[in-house]
Amino acid sequence: MHRHISEIRDGMRVEWDVPIPMPDGTVLRADVFRPVAEGRYPVIMTHGPYAKGLAFQQGYAGMWKPLSTKYPDAVAGSSNKYQNWETVDPEKWVPDGYVCIRVDSRGSGRSPGYLDIFSVQETHDYYTCVEWAGVQPWSNGKVGLLGISYYAMNQWQVAALRPPHLAAICPWEGAADHYREFTHHGGILNIFTSVWYPVQVGAVQHGVGERGARNPNTGEPVAGPETVPAEDLVALRGDPPAQLRAHPFDDTYYRQRSAALEQITVPVLSAANWAHALHTRGNFEAYSRVSSEQKWLEVHGLEHFAEFYTDYGVGLQKRFFGHFLKGADTGWDRQPPVQLNARHVDGSFELRSEQAWPLPDTTWTTLHLHPDGLALAERAPADGGRLDFAALGDGVTFTTEPFAEEVEITGPAAARLFVSSTTADADIFLTLRVLDPAGTDVTFVSGLDPAGVVAAGWLRASHRAVDPERSLPHRPWHPHDHADPLTPGEVVQLDVEIWPTSVVIPAGHRLACTVRGRDFEFPGDGPWPATYGVPMKGHGMFLHTDPHDRPEDRFGGTTTLVSDRARPSSLLLPFVPRTTRRRSAPRRRPGRA
């Protein structure tokens, strides 16, 4: 049986398993952390399926260790007893006069019901939770949303419904398009959902009970209180991996799970990571498309879980919410529209203020792919340029000459490739790399890979159709609503979106572009770090190896890349001038050179 318990501990009034009734009679459960002193305070809320009572240290030990060792400021000033994956630490917020609320979404953790991630029902539940928090006696009527990943993605969804008490949102590394970002890259199914869902969602489904973890603060099962036979839980949850295979195109299933970004009018701080194969695109797309008159973009690097918890990230969040939830003079009224941490090859970041995205003084530069000599250059290719490669092999890599001076590439990018295949389809995996003077890859800490690439783009050739009204030169838009098979041997044009990136490349280094028909992997035998059993070789766990989606007889042929005067395959890259850009000392993070 649920017990709503209220107690004072560690300088906070903590209420466990607070009931929040839904319109259909289902009761969701929330933990509420608030100041001891009576009063009305602004609210910071999350709502999702990861179990509000599961300790970060227990449920995500592999992430907690580097967070607490590499970034000591992330855990300083707190007992860390209430740390929970991808949500704020109440011990860092409640003393500043905030109420922190964590809600277990329907069918997860301590909340009963049918578990259906990112569904319309879940979004409407979130709306109800926001409105419930806005009218409580300890609330000042202003609710802010702040969290990472799942707790960022569903912010976009609920904000589009415009709950009256929603005052501001900060989606920190959160996808906005369920098809193009969460499940498919360029129309190619990625295996993330099939790997992630059983471990992070299914393991804490409501009813797992005694078979699962316990809340270290209450002793209660994090996915209880009742314990339901495992076979009975199957009927109480959706089957996302099966649904993805059943829906290969961007149809109603995905549209219902994607935010209507243009409907969002609340103030937004969209915080993006340069290198996350699930989240990067969404934060940029959403920033550009929301209708909010007050919106800001912040971009950082490092691990997915790092900057949200560091002093840098928490300071930014508190300035934003202090302004909009408290009306405090935090200096946010002077915050630039865009704040970037440009990446350097030594692992440092250059903190900069910008006025728009893409950067207004971008020099859009076309670099052609030259089959003869594998050069990447501004000059046009010669006639007769063709190059064959095995689709499931290592592909081909094109490189620039060493740069004579330091250059910066910051922004979205695109490629126009002319290809044919010996089969009825082909997948294109396009990877941007930086090579040092010795020809060795420079790697970058990415969201979920300690040695990631600079940028990537993907496209299934049969999904090559573009929507000209929604496309931009640097961001082609593919409707992904039908397949247009290839005629073997016939050359077609592919416009490939490359997700936004940033890198400052020193003189003597080169830029490389690898084109292949499978996931890029850095050379070498490892050993490679792994997440949930998936070895990370440059792209983390966001791989495209589902055999149902990529049968070898359709995607294992020979691909021909054509680049000549009539059909010049090329990259469109966002070079920006360096002369006026270094505005602060480089930020270096612990554990980096």
Side-chain angles (χ1 to χ4, degrees):
M1 179 179 294
H2 282 101
R3 293 184 300 156
H4 171 199
I5 299 173
S6 179
E7 58 183 339
I8 295 177
R9 53 190 298 167
D10 297 307
M12 301 181 290
R13 168 70 66 179
V14 185
E15 297 184 80
W16 309 103
D17 279 347
V18 178
I20 305 179
M22 299 295 106
D24 67 351
T26 301
V27 177
L28 305 189
R29 296 285 170 169
D31 291 342
V32 179
F33 304 82
R34 55 190 178 91
V36 174
E38 295 297 324
R40 293 183 177 273
Y41 303 97
V43 173
I44 300 293
M45 175 177 278
T46 52
H47 167 272
Y50 290 163
K52 60 184 174 57
L54 180 62
F56 192 151
Q57 298 90 325
Q58 179 182 5
Y60 300 89
M63 287 73 165
W64 176 258
K65 183 178 180 180
L67 176 69
S68 58
T69 56
K70 289 181 65 175
Y71 310 101
D73 58 315
V75 298
S78 171
S79 72
N80 297 299
K81 291 190 294 187
Y82 309 98
Q83 290 280 18
N84 181 249
W85 176 242
E86 299 184 332
T87 68
V88 302
D89 179 358
E91 288 189 277
K92 291 193 175 183
W93 287 81
V94 173
D96 284 349
Y98 290 92
V99 176
C100 297
I101 302 178
R102 298 168 176 163
V103 186
D104 280 338
S105 57
R106 186 181 294 243
S108 69
R110 306 281 289 182
S111 295
Y114 185 81
L115 175 57
D116 190 7
I117 60 171
F118 299 112
S119 63
V120 172
Q121 178 66 67
E122 190 174 88
T123 305
H124 282 279
D125 286 349
Y126 202 172
Y127 180 106
T128 300
C129 291
V130 170
E131 290 306 290
W132 173 87
V135 298
Q136 295 307 299
W138 33 256
S139 171
N140 73 350
K142 294 184 177 182
V143 179
L145 308 181
L146 173 61
I148 318 178
S149 190
Y150 201 108
Y151 300 111
M153 291 183 281
N154 60 12
Q155 289 182 49
W156 301 122
Q157 291 178 281
V158 72
L161 300 182
R162 301 181 183 175
H165 288 93
L166 183 61
I169 65 172
C170 179
W172 197 279
E173 299 188 28
D177 188 310
H178 202 68
Y179 187 88
R180 290 164 183 78
E181 297 154 14
F182 192 85
T183 64
H184 293 72
H185 291 139
I188 310 167
L189 178 65
N190 79 69
I191 65 169
F192 173 76
T193 300
S194 62
V195 175
W196 155 82
Y197 185 82
V199 177
Q200 290 190 215
V201 180
V204 291
Q205 181 184 358
H206 181 78
V208 168
E210 297 293 341
R211 295 191 301 274
R214 289 184 174 273
N215 185 328
N217 297 296
T218 67
E220 296 288 335
V222 302
E226 60 265 40
T227 301
V228 177
E231 58 271 21
D232 294 345
L233 290 180
V234 176
L236 296 175
R237 65 174 182 259
D239 187 352
Q243 290 291 332
L244 301 188
R245 294 189 183 104
H247 294 267
F249 302 114
D250 185 17
D251 58 17
T252 302
Y253 175 83
Y254 301 99
R255 293 298 93 215
Q256 290 180 338
R257 289 163 171 77
S258 300
L261 295 172
E262 288 77 10
Q263 298 299 314
I264 297 175
T265 56
V266 72
V268 173
L269 170 57
S270 179
N273 189 315
W274 289 121
H276 198 297
L278 168 58
H279 296 309
T280 296
R281 181 184 188 273
N283 282 102
F284 289 99
E285 275 288 308
Y287 171 74
S288 298
R289 289 172 51 194
V290 297
S291 297
S292 307
E293 293 183 1
Q294 300 179 91
K295 59 181 181 179
W296 291 264
L297 174 68
E298 184 276 341
V299 198
H300 53 268
L302 303 177
E303 299 91 341
H304 173 53
F305 47 80
E307 294 286 35
F308 181 82
Y309 294 99
T310 62
D311 287 346
Y312 167 80
V314 174
L316 195 73
Q317 297 154 17
K318 287 186 175 181
R319 288 177 54 231
F320 175 70
F321 285 112
H323 179 80
F324 286 107
L325 303 189
K326 291 183 171 184
D329 182 8
T330 65
W332 195 261
D333 57 330
R334 300 180 296 279
Q335 178 72 13
V338 177
Q339 178 171 306
L340 303 183
N341 288 276
R343 293 189 297 186
H344 284 252
V345 299
D346 64 354
S348 67
F349 293 87
E350 178 186 324
L351 183 62
R352 287 210 311 258
S353 298
E354 302 286 354
Q355 294 304 307
W357 182 265
L359 305 185
D361 58 349
T362 299
T363 301
W364 297 101
T365 302
T366 299
L367 297 183
H368 294 98
L369 281 59
H370 290 258
D372 182 13
L374 300 180
L376 191 59
E378 291 188 57
R379 68 180 186 277
D383 291 331
R386 302 173 66 90
L387 195 61
D388 295 337
F389 61 89
L392 301 184
D394 293 335
V396 292
T397 297
F398 302 86
T399 60
T400 65
E401 291 294 321
F403 289 108
E405 60 184 8
E406 181 182 75
V407 299
E408 178 179 343
I409 297 172
T410 294
R416 174 163 290 177
L417 304 180
F418 293 90
V419 303
S420 66
S421 174
T422 57
T423 62
D425 213 340
D427 286 341
I428 294 296
F429 294 76
L430 196 153
T431 305
L432 298 186
R433 304 155 61 186
V434 170
L435 306 179
D436 69 14
T440 303
D441 275 287
V442 177
T443 62
F444 301 85
V445 174
S446 71
L448 287 179
D449 197 322
V453 300
V454 175
W458 310 260
L459 184 62
R460 175 154 290 172
S462 61
H463 287 227
R464 62 189 177 276
V466 296
D467 181 342
E469 293 188 358
R470 301 192 69 172
S471 292
L472 299 167
H474 55 264
R475 201 271 287 124
W477 181 276
H478 301 274
H480 297 297
D481 56 5
H482 72 282
D484 188 7
L486 300 177
T487 299
E490 181 178 333
V491 178
V492 298
Q493 175 180 310
L494 305 182
D495 291 303
V496 185
E497 176 184 4
I498 301 172
W499 286 15
T501 188
S502 176
V503 61
V504 178
I505 306 176
H509 287 56
R510 293 180 292 159
L511 179 70
C513 174
T514 296
V515 184
R516 63 198 303 182
R518 61 181 176 91
D519 290 297
F520 174 80
E521 299 175 351
F522 282 120
D525 298 325
W528 305 102
T531 298
Y532 302 149
V534 179
M536 295 183 289
K537 303 179 181 181
H539 282 298
M541 58 192 295
F542 302 100
L543 304 180
H544 307 78
T545 54
D546 187 307
H548 301 282
D549 184 66
R550 282 170 48 80
E552 188 168 347
D553 62 347
R554 192 172 182 85
F555 295 96
T558 297
T559 302
T560 299
L561 175 69
V562 176
S563 188
D564 55 25
R565 294 184 187 278
R567 294 169 294 190
S569 291
S570 61
L571 299 178
L572 180 65
L573 297 177
F575 285 83
V576 296
R578 292 292 297 157
T579 53
T580 60
R581 279 226 141 61
R582 190 179 297 278
R583 301 180 187 175
S584 67
R587 296 178 60 239
R588 295 182 186 271
R589 300 303 310 173
R592 300 295 290 166

